[in-house]
Amino acid sequence: MILAATMLPESISCVDNAIARFRRGEPDALDAVIPEYQFRLYRFLLRLVQEPALAEDLFQQTWVRVIENASRYKAHYRFESWLFSIARNLAIDHFRRMRNVSIDAPDERGDAPVERMAAPDRDPLDSVLDFERGSILAAALGELPVIHREVLALRFEEGMSLGEIAEVAGIPLSTVKSRLQRALENLRERVGTRLSPGGRS
Amino acid sequence: MNSHESICKLVTLAAADALSHEEMSRVEQHAETCPECRRELEVLRLYSRGLRELTPPVAPAGLLQRTRARLEQERAARAERRWHDLTLSLLALFSWASGIVFWVAARFVTGEVWKVFGTNVAVFGTWSLLCAVLVWTTAGVAVVVLRNRSESARRIL
């Protein structure tokens, strides 16, 4: 699992310790936590905003917000969910400011159904995994609306449970489920478009 | 809605491991006998696996150092703001205290009549109003000056 790959057991206890100190009102304790989350948080933000420089800026802003809001951090709230929800909200604020679009409204494209399959008995993803492992999938993921990228990144890259995703995104569990379902279907459509004759791949 | 249709709606979530044990068993049992749903489940599981195994983007070199530097800068700015707040509060307190002391002394010296532009400022209400205007004007100027100093210091950094 990704979490296990990025956080070794000894570092987890170290993080727990630092978070406990942070809860007791020692903001400096976060210096030990930042390295543990740097790759996951940066990856999540990059998936959302898709611009490395902006992702880095939001990454830094997230930690600034964490310190500023340390007094509001509730002990019963999981640190990870809290951290990712701050990052998520900063990214959403950015989109609202820059593009003036409603991010929370699910993307209901009125597109005609696309031709999904390059060959009738073979799903396009079979080819993707065999030949261009992940690259087309990543590109298709990048085309999805931000709320779909968010739910897929949290579920599959961060390995979060549906309850944790609901906490991070601030939405009901039922919405997480429907959003996850729609996101996967949408992704499949996009991969199909890329692999169909005349597609972008 | 028949069993096949109701299970079809769950296949995507089953591929994402987002169903309860009971729902998952229902989907898997149905998939054993339904080639269409089985194929759908297999394909969507490929997507799930593909997403889990996506190559993670590389964090830029020096990200940690730059983040720590920014946090240090923010901490310094917060400490400076706290110091400014404290300074301003003390100045305001000092201004009010000295204003009252001066008022008492002025009343004693002038015999309770001290006219400025035809107004007797030795009256407590008038004097308080005058002090308030002076104190808040001074505080406002101080805030602007301190903020400008902080901004120029930040620009230099």
Side-chain angles (χ1 to χ4, degrees):
Chain A
M1 197 169 158
I2 294 153
L3 182 65
T6 51
M7 294 178 77
L8 300 169
E10 60 269 28
S11 66
I12 289 172
S13 63
C14 172
V15 169
D16 287 345
N17 213 357
I19 291 168
R21 282 173 49 216
F22 173 69
R23 277 178 178 159
R24 287 198 298 269
E26 294 178 44
D28 291 347
L30 280 183
D31 286 349
V33 181
I34 298 172
E36 300 299 333
Y37 283 102
Q38 69 164 324
F39 295 111
R40 295 181 57 206
L41 192 62
Y42 177 76
R43 174 176 60 191
F44 173 61
L45 284 165
L46 192 58
R47 287 277 179 243
L48 293 189
V49 300
Q50 303 190 88
E51 290 173 36
L54 179 59
E56 175 169 344
D57 184 51
L58 292 176
F59 177 89
Q60 294 177 3
Q61 280 188 49
T62 301
W63 290 107
V64 170
R65 287 283 176 92
V66 165
I67 290 184
E68 280 175 357
N69 295 301
S71 59
R72 288 189 223 164
Y73 174 50
K74 304 279 187 299
H76 64 268
Y77 210 69
R78 291 178 70 253
F79 179 77
E80 195 172 298
S81 303
W82 188 59
L83 178 67
F84 277 79
S85 69
I86 290 175
R88 184 245 184 212
N89 289 339
L90 283 169
I92 299 293
D93 284 350
H94 165 78
F95 282 119
R96 286 199 173 123
R97 266 199 317 274
M98 302 306 293
R99 296 178 192 170
N100 197 24
V101 292
S102 172
I103 303 297
D104 289 325
D107 177 59
E108 295 300 344
R109 297 176 306 129
D111 296 354
V114 292
E115 189 65 46
R116 291 182 187 180
M117 313 285 272
D121 293 327
R122 190 164 167 79
D123 188 86
L125 192 64
D126 293 358
S127 315
V128 175
L129 293 177
D130 287 343
F131 300 109
E132 290 191 68
R133 195 175 185 85
S135 64
I136 290 179
L137 194 60
L141 180 63
E143 290 176 354
L144 297 181
V146 67
I147 54 167
H148 289 172
R149 291 202 301 274
E150 174 190 46
V151 75
L152 291 177
L154 291 174
R155 178 66 185 158
F156 297 107
E157 291 196 292
E158 306 312 326
M160 286 189 180
S161 69
L162 300 188
E164 287 165 348
I165 297 171
E167 269 185 13
V168 170
I171 51 177
L173 200 62
S174 55
T175 309
V176 175
K177 280 189 176 182
S178 59
R179 206 171 273 189
L180 183 61
Q181 182 163 7
R182 181 73 192 115
L184 265 175
E185 287 165 0
N186 202 349
L187 181 72
R188 192 179 175 188
E189 276 181 18
R190 305 264 174 166
V191 170
T193 308
R194 285 182 160 266
L195 290 178
S196 63
R200 271 170 285 186
S201 59
Chain B
M1 191 185 296
N2 63 34
S3 167
H4 174 75
E5 283 173 340
S6 67
I7 296 291
C8 274
K9 288 184 183 297
L10 296 175
V11 168
T12 312
L13 290 176
D17 292 326
L19 293 179
S20 65
H21 288 300
E22 189 193 332
E23 287 171 321
M24 190 66 94
S25 308
R26 275 178 58 209
V27 172
E28 281 172 349
Q29 276 172 16
H30 175 78
E32 280 173 16
T33 57
C34 173
E36 189 189 335
C37 286
R38 186 166 61 246
R39 174 69 183 150
E40 192 72 1
L41 188 60
E42 281 169 4
V43 165
L44 286 165
R45 276 186 172 150
L46 277 178
Y47 279 84
S48 298
R49 202 186 77 201
L51 284 168
R52 285 195 178 95
E53 294 175 359
L54 275 181
T55 309
V58 179
L63 173 68
L64 214 53
Q65 288 76 7
R66 286 193 293 278
T67 304
R68 283 185 171 138
R70 183 159 172 181
L71 288 178
E72 272 310 309
Q73 208 175 321
E74 289 292 332
R75 278 176 192 152
R78 276 161 58 96
E80 195 179 14
R81 277 198 297 273
R82 273 200 300 273
W83 172 245
H84 288 170
D85 290 348
L86 184 69
T87 309
L88 285 174
S89 306
L90 287 174
L91 273 176
L93 197 66
F94 176 76
S95 303
W96 277 109
S98 54
I100 289 168
V101 168
F102 189 76
W103 176 69
V104 172
R107 275 173 65 95
F108 181 74
V109 171
T110 60
E112 300 186 7
V113 178
W114 178 24
K115 292 208 169 179
V116 176
F117 298 119
T119 308
N120 184 12
V121 293
V123 177
F124 184 74
T126 315
W127 183 250
S128 299
L129 189 67
L130 190 63
C131 277
V133 170
L134 284 173
V135 166
W136 289 114
T137 307
T138 313
V141 171
V143 165
V144 171
V145 170
L146 289 172
R147 191 163 293 163
N148 285 345
R149 273 188 54 198
S150 305
E151 284 298 317
S152 49
R154 216 164 285 147
R155 273 198 294 274
I156 289 165
L157 280 173

